[in-house]
Amino acid sequence: MSSSWNSVGLEVLYQVLGWVAFFAWSFSFYPQVILNYKRKSVVGLNFDFLVLNFTKHSSYLIYNAAMFFSPFIQRQYHEKYGDKEMIPVAANDVAFSLHAVALTAFTVFQVFIYERGIQKVSKVCISITAIVWTAAIVCLIIAWPKSDWLWLIDVFNSIQVGMTAIKYIPQAIMNFRRKSTIGWSIGNILLDLTGGVLNFGQMGVQSIDQLTLVNFYGNIGKTLLSLETVFFDVLFIIQHYVLYPAKKDENDDFPVLPIEVKHVAAQ
């Protein structure tokens, strides 16, 4: 049998941290959606980030849902890490992933209906996305005959780690080139940072209760997700408040940026 909680207090804290992280991460999608709606523009939001983010969250949803709902995969997990180890995926992880896929898809929809200037998805992003999903299909074909589903969902977990590592880079570079973060919601980043810190804290609480670090490397994707999120969010905060502080609040009217002027002139 899988392990149970040794401390009721730590179990409650684990659930509280998990669901607060869920709400912080889930709400982090809305500032960007609202910002796009108010401006009727997605200029300043990097499209490569959106495409990579959709791949990332889709992969993470596959991992979380499979690990949480499949008794067969849970049995394979216990065979690998020990039958006393707790499953490293909580209900809030599944809920977050499902919500993240839906909101990212909606943001992509906004790209098609709002002003987007001369921005487009890069060939590099398209190539990376095609390679990733082709590799996932190949891994599915390999895992199918042996029913090695734990290995397969670990592949998807690795994909989400990789996508998390690279998805922020196009936006960071774009902010640097424009010398501005206008169009990129800082509210998104602050909530994302909160979720990352709380998510890591949740894993720490489980480790303290179980007196083991297995949940950190048993679900290395969740561990790296939190660390990568915190790193890039701090970078964006520095860009927004230190390097390129906005002269007007994001909720005010927006100044026209060089990239927008170029597009208007082209018309």
Side-chain angles (χ1 to χ4, degrees):
M1 293 180 62
S2 60
S3 178
S4 59
W5 286 90
N6 297 314
S7 168
V8 175
L10 288 177
E11 180 180 8
V12 171
L13 180 59
Y14 175 86
Q15 294 295 338
V16 170
L17 289 176
W19 284 107
V20 174
F22 161 74
F23 284 111
W25 263 345
S26 295
F27 288 148
S28 72
F29 289 88
Y30 290 94
Q32 186 66 58
V33 170
I34 295 172
L35 183 62
N36 296 342
Y37 171 76
K38 287 183 176 181
R39 298 173 70 222
K40 297 298 186 291
S41 171
V42 292
V43 173
L45 173 61
N46 190 273
F47 296 168
D48 287 4
F49 167 80
L50 280 180
V51 173
L52 296 173
N53 205 28
F54 186 79
T55 297
K56 179 264 186 204
H57 287 304
S58 298
S59 301
Y60 200 36
L61 174 60
I62 292 171
Y63 172 82
N64 284 330
M67 178 66 81
F68 188 78
F69 290 112
S70 172
F72 184 81
I73 293 178
Q74 291 176 5
R75 184 163 60 252
Q76 290 185 335
Y77 180 86
H78 288 141
E79 290 173 354
K80 181 176 181 179
Y81 295 106
D83 58 4
K84 293 184 178 181
E85 296 300 330
M86 298 178 68
I87 296 300
V89 173
N92 63 273
D93 296 319
V94 181
F96 162 72
S97 294
L98 185 61
H99 180 270
V101 170
L103 263 293
T104 303
F106 183 77
T107 308
V108 171
F109 170 72
Q110 288 184 313
V111 169
F112 290 96
I113 63 174
Y114 292 144
E115 170 63 31
R116 56 182 178 271
I118 60 174
Q119 294 175 207
K120 60 182 180 179
V121 180
S122 71
K123 293 181 180 179
V124 173
C125 177
I126 295 174
S127 298
I128 291 174
T129 303
I131 292 172
V132 165
W133 285 111
T134 299
I137 293 174
V138 171
C139 289
L140 172 62
I141 295 173
I142 294 174
W144 194 295
K146 298 181 179 179
S147 296
D148 198 355
W149 304 122
L150 178 63
W151 173 78
L152 179 63
I153 67 168
D154 279 341
V155 169
F156 281 102
N157 204 11
S158 297
I159 289 174
Q160 74 90 9
V161 171
M163 292 297 100
T164 301
I166 66 176
K167 72 174 186 176
Y168 292 110
I169 295 176
Q171 184 69 55
I173 294 175
M174 186 176 184
N175 293 344
F176 170 75
R177 288 177 175 173
R178 297 168 73 228
K179 298 297 184 289
S180 171
T181 59
I182 292 176
W184 174 243
S185 174
I186 192 60
N188 168 20
I189 297 306
L190 296 175
L191 287 168
D192 195 42
L193 176 62
T194 300
V197 172
L198 292 176
N199 190 57
F200 197 77
Q202 184 191 34
M203 299 180 73
V205 168
Q206 181 176 333
S207 290
I208 293 172
D209 180 83
Q210 300 293 301
L211 299 177
T212 177
L213 296 176
V214 169
N215 65 302
F216 278 100
Y217 59 80
N219 187 358
I220 190 64
K222 187 174 181 179
T223 302
L224 293 178
L225 168 63
S226 298
L227 294 176
E228 291 170 341
T229 297
V230 170
F231 173 81
F232 280 103
D233 286 344
V234 169
L235 173 62
F236 285 124
I237 288 172
I238 292 174
Q239 284 187 323
H240 183 81
Y241 290 110
V242 180
L243 299 179
Y244 321 121
K247 295 181 179 180
K248 306 185 75 173
D249 187 83
E250 287 181 333
N251 292 325
D252 294 337
D253 295 331
F254 288 84
V256 178
L257 297 173
I259 188 172
E260 294 172 301
V261 171
K262 182 176 180 180
H263 177 68
V264 172
Q267 291 180 321

